[in-house]
Amino acid sequence: MSNTILKSDFIKTYDASDIISKLTDGKLFASFSKYYVFPGFCDVHVHFRQPGFSYKETIKTGSLAAARGGYTAVCTMPNLSPVPDSKEHLMQQIEIIKADSVIKTIPYGSITVGEKGEELSDMVGMANDVIAFSDDGRGVQSEKLMESAMLKAKELGKIIVAHCEENSLLKGGYIHDGFYAKSNGHKGICSASEYVPIERDIRLADKIGCAYHVCHISTKESVDLIRNAKKQGVNITCETAPHYLVLDDTCLQEHGRFKMNPPLRSPEDREALIEGLIDGTIDMIATDHAPHSADEKAKGLEGSAFGVVGLETAFPVLYTKLVKNNIISLEKLIELLAINPRKRFNIPLSDECTVWDLDKCFTVDPKDFVSMGKATPFEGEQVFGECAATVYGGKYVYVNNC
């Protein structure tokens, strides 16, 4: 293969099986002329908005965006309409997935009915069809209800995946209660609103023996709590997102593309997350891909909806900011994006991979996104690493047209 071959020529020159065959004997990556072949990435935390909110994203557009970002497996969160809180409601989503998804897309079932935090969902009825149970977007406020959920999840052999947020501590905040909020008159969200429920859930998980996973951690206290829980033998894992690893509240601007939940925290929190990534406290990186309409993200920090997109920028941003700056190795990044999520959530890797040109430099431009969501805090950033092709089920599901 010539080093000058165009990315689009992959589909003409090489059968997908030729590329997949490069990844043998558990390799984390292999070279393919000037390109790198990686196992298909796996994101255990995405929002594809369908059914119920298809003006924001659909399963088709979300899965296509995932393929463009190198992902061959994703897990979709349950803040939908109807909420997948029963077999009947869940099947509405599954039917769309079967018809429209170009990659492996596995839904979550909700922990509570309607994600209202009042009574448990039909966890038994959904267990065979969901990856795990979560009320993502809302924290389960009742300790008694979370304990019941953990007991049922243990019985079913499923993981409880928790959005940890104590509502009584929010006080109307919408960005981190730190430097930028104080300097610009914004209402802040305190770090305790995240780590207090994590502390509670760790105690419950230790007591019950349930498999427990914490979503999108953002504070130094969360890292410390999870690190100590692992040392004590609690069956716990966690994720963080790219934006928490490379941005903090000193990077904020008066634009909705910088508003997400949890918010960008302090430089000290970001440094603690990096340390947790390096020492293994943080098991994986998930995007929390959360698309909204342009109008919903055009109302500044206070008025915009929470959430940014991330599937199409995750690898380039992390490769540029972490690997090229020698903070972590390329091998470590692939473990965080592709290997560790599959191990924890038992998602097998089969006939799937993604091919990247790591020397390609480009400027992040949301107009190029496949996702219907365009709000990204990385808009205008120069990054390295462009996806050339993604293979799922032994077939190309994305080929770069360059």
Side-chain angles (χ1 to χ4, degrees), residues 54-206:
S54 56
Y55 71 94
K56 301 174 186 273
E57 187 83 285
T58 66
I59 287 166
K60 183 175 183 179
T61 59
S63 66
L64 287 168
R68 183 173 184 257
Y71 290 87
T72 57
V74 296
C75 304
T76 54
M77 286 297 179
N79 50 344
L80 303 168
S81 182
V83 171
D85 54 13
S86 67
K87 178 80 168 183
E88 178 185 3
H89 288 166
L90 176 66
M91 290 310 297
Q92 294 184 39
Q93 184 185 6
I94 289 177
E95 290 303 315
I96 303 171
I97 289 170
K98 289 178 179 178
D100 291 349
S101 182
V102 302
I103 60 169
K104 183 184 293 294
T105 300
I106 316 169
Y108 281 91
S110 67
I111 294 173
T112 66
V113 174
E115 287 197 319
K116 295 179 179 179
E118 297 171 355
E119 59 179 308
L120 289 185
S121 66
D122 180 14
M123 296 171 72
V124 174
M126 295 187 290
N128 291 336
D129 298 296
V130 298
I131 192 67
F133 295 101
S134 179
D135 266 9
D136 186 65
R138 302 179 183 181
V140 176
Q141 303 303 300
S142 165
E143 179 170 339
K144 182 178 180 181
L145 194 61
M146 179 58 91
E147 182 171 2
S148 297
M150 287 187 175
L151 285 166
K152 183 58 68 174
K154 182 182 179 184
E155 176 187 321
L156 296 170
K158 292 292 183 177
I159 304 173
I160 289 291
V161 177
H163 173 111
C164 290
E165 186 172 46
E166 173 54 53
N167 290 350
S168 67
L169 298 176
L170 297 178
K171 302 184 186 305
Y174 45 88
I175 63 171
H176 176 57
D177 185 19
F179 165 80
Y180 193 91
K182 292 177 174 63
S183 301
N184 294 276
H186 289 295
K187 293 181 180 179
I189 300 174
C190 67
S191 296
S193 65
E194 174 179 297
Y195 68 75
V196 165
I198 291 177
E199 190 171 29
R200 177 202 72 182
D201 288 356
I202 286 173
R203 173 168 47 80
L204 291 175
D206 187 30

Side-chain angles (χ1 to χ4, degrees), residues 252-263:
L252 286 172
Q253 298 177 27
E254 293 292 320
H255 196 288
R257 65 189 179 91
F258 289 91
K259 184 178 182 180
M260 68 287 291
N261 189 26

